[in-house]
Amino acid sequence: MNQTQTMCNFAVPPMERIRVGFVGIGERGTTAVFRVSGIPGTETAAMADLRRDQCERAKAWLEERGRPGAKRIHGGAEESWKAVCDDPDVDVVYVTAPAPLHPRIVLYALRAGKHVLTEVPGAQTLDEAWEIVETCEKARRHCMMLENCCYGEMEMLAWNLAHKGLLGTLVHAEGGYIHNLVWRQLEDNFRNRANFGGGTVHGFGNTYPTHALGPICLYMDVNRGDRMQSVVSMSSLAAANREFAEATYPPGSWQRRTEWLTGDMNTSIIRTARGRTIMMQYSTASPRPYSRINLVQGTKGCFYDYPPRLALAQKPGDEAEWMDGAAFEKARKEHMHPLWRTTGELAAKDGGHGGMDFIMDLRWVWCLRNGLPLDMDVYDLASWSAIVPCTGESDRNGGAPVEIPDFTRGGWKTAKPASIGDVDLKKMGFV
Ligand SMILES: NC(=O)c1ccc[n+]([C@@H]2O[C@H](COP(=O)([O-])OP(=O)(O)OC[C@H]3O[C@@H](n4cnc5c(N)ncnc54)[C@H](O)[C@@H]3O)[C@@H](O)[C@H]2O)c1
């Protein structure tokens, strides 16, 4: 591939002021507006939501706090978000609309010359992922998926352990999104009735892989020295939603009429070009306590989360014990990622998901203001999202291996590893 075309390690000149246009002011979008508006150097330039009142509520919140309010709000029509993308006073479009809409909005915004940040997943099909890559390369704009779990304290500790070489040669990792949402999926509200409402619900594969996969791809420098090559995927039987509906809702209710065929637990294994393996689990229908698993294993050690543990061998080949509480605490402090050391206290105040959402937003603002590459690029968006259709195809075919496209078209062999660095809060304007 022509190196002038690649978006690997792409950067733009420093931006002094970043004018952000938000699309989709629901649960996620509202908190994003609140967080980003608290970061000096940013301005909420515009907002759009199908429900205009959502924008009005967020605008009132901004005004009450004296933060630069959204000059323009749009709503009421299916495509009112186009006005945000076309707005000459918007530099960055921040997409928090429902997932099936992400590719359309991302593509339109890139073609309008905007940098784009999108919630997860960025695409649902391989065609969408390829179109986003090709459009981004042509537009020469940033296009990053807002994978907040990459910025969790334990994920960043694991990233640091891996990049300091303390785990040795990385060979295997495990991640998950195990989050019991049965009650939420069956609540009687507009969204659930529209999505499920008495029909048949059948999803194959892992439909929400990026919280599990994103951090692991950063540990392993996937798309920058390695790449995901193939995946196998299988789902268990489906039982938990039906059993909950039977125990909770009356006969004839839409919850009881809905046929839940999506397996309660999906397990997928990816193999990389360098021969590493990544095991991922996905379940929103399980009594298992919340977990992203977050295990990374090398020839010299292993980090394993939920609860966090670390085992380091003295030399390759030795067996290592999990550290006891005091030893782990010492290692946690010693190897804490600088970004968490600098921003952890600030993020804990109002950070979302334990602070990681705020740290993610701080980082892209810092990178744009300083002309640095973003921590994740369009190839990460495409390849992490591609796991949705690739695991779907494998699962539908009894776990047969499925090739994962190389969206970098060989660029992964020469791309430099991403250096996820610190930010300077004082320089950013925090006092
Ligand atoms: N990273 C995370 O931790 C995390 C957590 C939850 C959700 N998400 C992702 O965030 C996205 C939004 O999720 P949510 O929970 O905020 O959903 P939500 O339903 O609360 O919000 C979506 C908003 O988009 C609006 N919308 C719908 N169609 C629109 C259109 N055509 N134009 C403009 N606005 C439109 C809706 O009115 C709603 O306000 C999803 O893609 C989801 O996968 C990510």
Side-chain angles (χ1 to χ4, degrees), residues 175-210:
Y177 185 69
I178 296 169
H179 191 180
N180 186 1
L181 295 171
V182 169
W183 62 273
R184 210 178 133 110
Q185 284 158 183
L186 285 130
E187 255 180 343
D188 191 32
N189 60 29
F190 171 77
R191 189 166 64 175
N192 289 340
R193 277 199 302 274
N195 286 345
F196 311 127
T200 301
V201 184
H202 204 166
F204 286 97
N206 186 333
T207 52
Y208 199 65
T210 67

Side-chain angles (χ1 to χ4, degrees), residues 64-76:
E64 275 163 30
R65 283 154 188 81
R67 295 190 184 165
K71 288 193 203 112
R72 293 188 261 281
I73 59 176
H74 309 275

Side-chain angles (χ1 to χ4, degrees), residues 416-431:
K416 281 188 286 175
S419 65
I420 303 181
D422 204 354
V423 300
D424 185 327
L425 290 178
K426 222 169 177 182
K427 276 197 191 149
M428 286 186 89
F430 289 95
V431 271

Side-chain angles (χ1 to χ4, degrees), residues 305-380:
D305 207 343
Y306 298 92
R309 283 154 283 176
L310 178 63
L312 294 178
Q314 294 302 311
K315 55 182 195 316
D318 280 359
E319 189 179 333
E321 300 280 334
W322 295 119
M323 290 176 182
D324 64 25
F328 175 74
E329 194 46 27
K330 189 166 168 279
R332 187 184 74 82
K333 285 199 179 120
E334 187 180 345
H335 303 300
M336 176 183 274
H337 192 283
L339 195 50
W340 262 90
R341 209 183 293 284
T342 304
T343 66
E345 207 177 303
L346 188 63
K349 278 192 210 149
D350 191 20
H353 287 117
M356 64 190 183
D357 296 355
F358 182 66
I359 293 181
M360 168 184 76
D361 287 325
L362 272 181
R363 238 333 255 181
W364 65 257
V365 170
W366 171 259
C367 291
L368 286 184
R369 289 188 66 190
N370 289 281
L372 300 169
L374 301 188
D375 296 333
M376 295 166 271
D377 62 23
V378 72
Y379 306 115
D380 300 319

